[in-house]
Amino acid sequence: MKLYFSPLACSMATRIALYEAGIDAEYVEVDPRAKRTLKDDGDYLRVNPLGLVPVLEEGDGRLLKENMAVLQRVARLEGGKLLAARGETEQAELQQWLSFISTELHKGVFSLLFDRKAAPEVKAYALSKAESRLDYLASYVEGREFLLSEFSVADAYLVTVLNWFAATPVDLGRWPALKVYLANLRQRPAVARALDEERVLYGHYLRKYGELTPQMAQVLGVS
Amino acid sequence: MKLYFSPLACSMATRIALYEAGIDAEYVEVDPRAKRTLKDDGDYLRVNPLGLVPVLEEGDGRLLKENMAVLQRVARLEGGKLLAARGETEQAELQQWLSFISTELHKGVFSLLFDRKAAPEVKAYALSKAESRLDYLASYVEGREFLLSEFSVADAYLVTVLNWFAATPVDLGRWPALKVYLANLRQRPAVARALDEERVLYGHYLRKYGELTPQMAQVLGVS
């Protein structure tokens, strides 16, 4: 099994899920700017014409695209059963949260905010959407360890996305429930390991483009 | 079962799915601007604090939010078995397409384009994203009747979203494969019925706000 990923991108959620499930995989790094695989300088647009990560390649050569589909596939794998929802109600809730994170936070806020080609008005628009989404999420997460009754791929996705706020003007500290949720999850071994590994890789990526500022190096904990 | 919907919004995909499956439901119309239910002038923010449709309410009073979750719930219902994916491969592909439609088209293009409060730069940005997404989609849909091997909730969602292009400067005629796919799907009785009913309701909605222009009335086929 191969996971095409870029450091600290939404594909990190699948890395967390695979670590949690104890499933071995080959991790193929994609330069999200050059749209090339690092190891062999391959053309990533041949893997995904949209140039997006993650893509999951299983033994049969099939390429599964789209983060929500990849996460749910891993959740259904033999070793991944613990990550999947149990029963109809939790399955529906899992899909509800994956959809919320994906559309309201990831796409609705961060895809705009992190797009180098987006105009300042687009970034301001994205920021204007963040507050109501975080209010809603915080009121749900208050007092909860996980989005469902146990750890699931929805938590893997949410911790990945909440982590991005550190690179924005939004102070997550205004939502104590989210800070607590995130701090707890960061202590899970699978989450901590994924974050540590991808932080280093992201540092290399920024350095390659001459964009590793001292502040960013400090945030990432790299030198 | 109750479906909270707004005319021609993404909730129409669930109406199509319910018609296809022959499942009876009560359809509760929500004014997307006032965030109120029409029939009883109720506060819709008590149903969904984000004010978004659809929400599915089943017998037990649970409220399921998020279009992708609602669609997949209907696909799993007794009468809805035909709309669900069969087997692991199709389940993964179903989720891949739902995710693509939801994030790349619905959220990435239309949510920005149809937001009354969005600046012109935001709308220009949204339009700039449409072309590559439609290229990608058209190359897949070419020669296919459905996204999967048979009709699924992903088609119900895609026909709903492609229909919105009529209200944008994007000429879908540039992608003949998409025009053919859409024209075929519009002939399915469930799709035709949903479109006919919601077009009329959308005409009422625009008239209420004094926004039913003669051109729009013609597009909608209402007087």
Side-chain angles (χ1 to χ4, degrees):
Chain A
M1 182 174 305
K2 242 187 232 179
L3 179 71
Y4 292 89
F5 80 102
S6 296
L8 299 186
C10 71
S11 47
M12 194 179 80
T14 302
R15 183 190 288 269
I16 293 171
L18 291 167
Y19 288 172
E20 284 275 350
I23 299 173
D24 282 333
E26 181 188 345
Y27 294 86
V28 182
E29 185 172 344
V30 177
D31 178 327
R33 212 174 308 189
K35 306 291 181 198
R36 302 198 75 84
T37 47
L38 252 58
K39 209 172 66 174
D40 59 357
D41 194 31
D43 180 4
Y44 184 61
L45 297 178
R46 296 182 68 162
V47 176
N48 185 353
L50 292 176
L52 303 171
V53 289
V55 166
L56 188 73
E57 185 176 339
E58 296 193 58
D60 60 2
R62 269 177 203 278
L63 298 168
L64 185 64
K65 305 177 196 83
E66 295 290 331
N67 196 31
M68 275 184 283
V70 169
L71 282 172
Q72 289 183 87
R73 169 70 185 139
V74 169
R76 287 191 304 269
L77 285 174
E78 198 60 34
K81 275 189 181 141
L82 284 176
L83 299 166
R86 299 134 203 255
E88 175 54 34
T89 303
E90 287 230 337
Q91 189 168 354
E93 284 176 357
L94 175 69
Q95 290 172 345
Q96 178 183 283
W97 285 111
L98 288 175
S99 177
F100 171 82
I101 300 163
S102 179
T103 59
E104 300 301 327
L105 293 180
H106 180 177
K107 205 69 199 180
V109 177
F110 290 105
S111 289
L112 306 176
L113 217 48
F114 289 169
D115 186 338
R116 303 167 169 277
K117 293 176 189 151
E121 290 83 354
V122 173
K123 303 196 177 205
Y125 176 84
L127 283 173
S128 78
K129 293 286 167 187
E131 182 158 324
S132 63
R133 273 55 183 165
L134 292 175
D135 284 347
Y136 172 76
L137 186 64
S139 75
Y140 178 80
V141 157
E142 175 88 50
R144 287 184 159 269
E145 201 175 348
F146 309 117
L147 289 170
L148 306 182
S149 63
E150 294 182 52
F151 183 86
S152 74
V153 289
D155 296 302
Y157 194 6
L158 185 55
V159 72
T160 299
V161 168
L162 288 181
N163 196 46
W164 295 338
F165 276 106
T168 73
V170 178
D171 173 17
L172 216 54
R174 287 177 50 208
W175 293 271
L178 294 178
K179 278 213 84 157
V180 170
Y181 167 87
L182 186 56
N184 280 339
L185 276 185
R186 275 193 186 135
Q187 286 177 21
R188 277 182 90 84
V191 175
R193 182 182 159 200
L195 266 172
D196 282 349
E197 292 173 350
E198 296 214 356
R199 257 201 300 254
V200 173
L201 295 175
Y202 190 65
H204 292 323
Y205 164 72
L206 289 182
R207 189 178 292 117
K208 182 169 120 183
Y209 285 100
E211 294 175 6
L212 184 61
T213 60
Q215 298 97 304
M216 186 53 102
Q218 199 178 1
V219 168
L220 294 172
V222 299
S223 57
Chain B
M1 183 175 300
K2 244 187 230 181
L3 180 72
Y4 291 88
F5 81 101
S6 296
L8 300 186
C10 70
S11 48
M12 194 179 80
T14 303
R15 183 190 288 269
I16 293 170
L18 291 168
Y19 288 172
E20 284 276 349
I23 298 174
D24 282 332
E26 181 189 345
Y27 294 86
V28 182
E29 186 173 342
V30 177
D31 178 326
R33 211 173 308 188
K35 307 291 183 198
R36 302 198 74 84
T37 46
L38 253 58
K39 210 172 64 173
D40 58 357
D41 193 31
D43 181 4
Y44 185 61
L45 297 178
R46 297 182 67 161
V47 177
N48 185 352
L50 292 175
L52 303 171
V53 289
V55 166
L56 189 72
E57 185 176 339
E58 296 193 58
D60 59 2
R62 270 178 201 278
L63 298 168
L64 185 64
K65 305 177 195 83
E66 295 291 331
N67 195 32
M68 275 184 285
V70 169
L71 283 172
Q72 288 182 89
R73 169 68 187 142
V74 169
R76 287 191 303 271
L77 286 174
E78 198 58 35
K81 277 191 179 137
L82 283 175
L83 298 166
R86 298 133 205 259
E88 177 53 35
T89 303
E90 286 230 338
Q91 189 168 355
E93 285 178 357
L94 175 69
Q95 290 173 344
Q96 177 183 282
W97 285 111
L98 288 175
S99 177
F100 170 82
I101 299 164
S102 178
T103 59
E104 300 302 326
L105 293 180
H106 180 177
K107 205 71 198 177
V109 177
F110 290 105
S111 289
L112 306 176
L113 217 48
F114 289 169
D115 187 339
R116 300 166 171 277
K117 294 175 189 153
E121 291 83 355
V122 174
K123 301 192 179 211
Y125 176 84
L127 283 173
S128 78
K129 293 287 167 184
E131 182 157 325
S132 64
R133 273 53 185 168
L134 292 174
D135 284 348
Y136 171 76
L137 185 64
S139 76
Y140 177 80
V141 158
E142 175 88 52
R144 288 183 157 270
E145 200 175 346
F146 308 117
L147 288 169
L148 306 182
S149 63
E150 294 182 51
F151 183 86
S152 73
V153 288
D155 296 302
Y157 195 5
L158 185 54
V159 72
T160 299
V161 167
L162 288 181
N163 196 47
W164 295 338
F165 277 107
T168 74
V170 178
D171 174 17
L172 216 54
R174 286 176 50 208
W175 294 272
L178 293 178
K179 278 213 82 154
V180 170
Y181 167 86
L182 186 56
N184 280 340
L185 275 186
R186 275 193 185 135
Q187 286 177 21
R188 277 181 91 83
V191 175
R193 182 182 159 201
L195 266 172
D196 282 349
E197 292 173 349
E198 296 215 355
R199 256 201 301 255
V200 173
L201 295 175
Y202 190 65
H204 292 323
Y205 165 72
L206 289 181
R207 189 179 291 119
K208 181 169 119 183
Y209 285 101
E211 293 175 5
L212 184 62
T213 60
Q215 299 97 303
M216 186 52 98
Q218 199 178 3
V219 168
L220 294 172
V222 297
S223 57

